């Protein structure tokens, strides 16, 4: 018999500006962010193809947003997946800020360096 896979764990990796979801110690996916004042701007989410279809992106984003709430920051969803998640989960509406052209310009300048 094979051992069941360990439960996924989510960790914030500040040095890489992202949250990672791990299964059996292996990175299965990530959601990337940059901090802009009191806002955590999420701009990319991906799950490795080997782990697709297991609901990991939803779990990853839910735990990342819970961590943002605990840190006292607000969320700005540039990433389409995070934006879609927020539309379905209004429990985060109180900490979600709208994406503005200014934030988008700031993010583009930060990522260009």
């Amino acid at each position: 018999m094979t051992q069941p896979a360990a439960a996924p764990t989510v960790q914030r990796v500040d040095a890489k500006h992202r949250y990672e979801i791990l299964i059996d110690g292996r990175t299965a996916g990530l959601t990337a962010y940059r901090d802009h004042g009191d806002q955590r701007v999420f701009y990319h989410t991906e799950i490795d193809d080997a782990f697709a279809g297991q609901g990991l992106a939803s779990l990853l984003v839910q735990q990342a947003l819970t961590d943002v709430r605990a840190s006292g920051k607000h969320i700005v969803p540039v990433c389409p997946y995070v934006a879609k998640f927020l539309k379905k989960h209004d429990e985060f509406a109180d900490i979600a800020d709208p994406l503005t052209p200014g934030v988008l310009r700031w993010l583009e300048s930060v990522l260009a360096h």
Side-chain angles (χ1 to χ4, degrees), residues 81-101:
Y81 186 86
V82 174
K84 185 174 88 174
F85 184 92
L86 285 169
K87 286 183 177 148
K88 293 180 180 178
H89 296 269
D90 59 357
E91 67 267 28
F92 293 106
D94 62 316
I95 61 167
D97 288 350
L99 176 58
T100 63

Side-chain angles (χ1 to χ4, degrees), residues 1-18:
M1 279 180 25
T2 59
Q3 293 285 15
T9 57
V10 174
Q11 63 185 15
R12 189 177 72 229
V13 184
D14 291 329
K16 294 182 179 179
H17 307 282
R18 66 191 196 184

Side-chain angles (χ1 to χ4, degrees), residues 4 25-26 28 44 47 52 56 64 75-76 78 107 113:
R26 183 172 164 210
H44 179 72
I47 298 295
L56 296 179
I75 301 153
V76 180
V78 175
L107 180 63
H113 293 103

Side-chain angles (χ1 to χ4, degrees), residues 4-80:
T9 57
V10 174
Q11 63 185 15
R12 189 177 72 229
V13 184
D14 291 329
K16 294 182 179 179
H17 307 282
R18 66 191 196 184
Y19 291 84
E20 296 176 344
I21 189 161
L22 303 154
I23 296 180
D24 291 328
R26 183 172 164 210
T27 302
L30 64 95
T31 187
Y33 67 86
R34 289 298 176 110
D35 286 340
H36 180 60
D38 69 347
Q39 296 176 319
R40 183 152 289 165
V41 182
F42 287 88
Y43 65 90
H44 179 72
T45 301
E46 67 180 61
I47 298 295
D48 186 293
D49 288 344
F51 297 97
Q54 299 179 35
L56 296 179
S58 179
L59 178 64
L60 169 62
V61 169
Q62 185 267 330
Q63 290 193 22
L65 300 187
T66 298
D67 182 68
V68 172
R69 179 188 300 285
S71 72
K73 292 185 179 292
H74 281 234
I75 301 153
V76 180
V78 175
C79 168

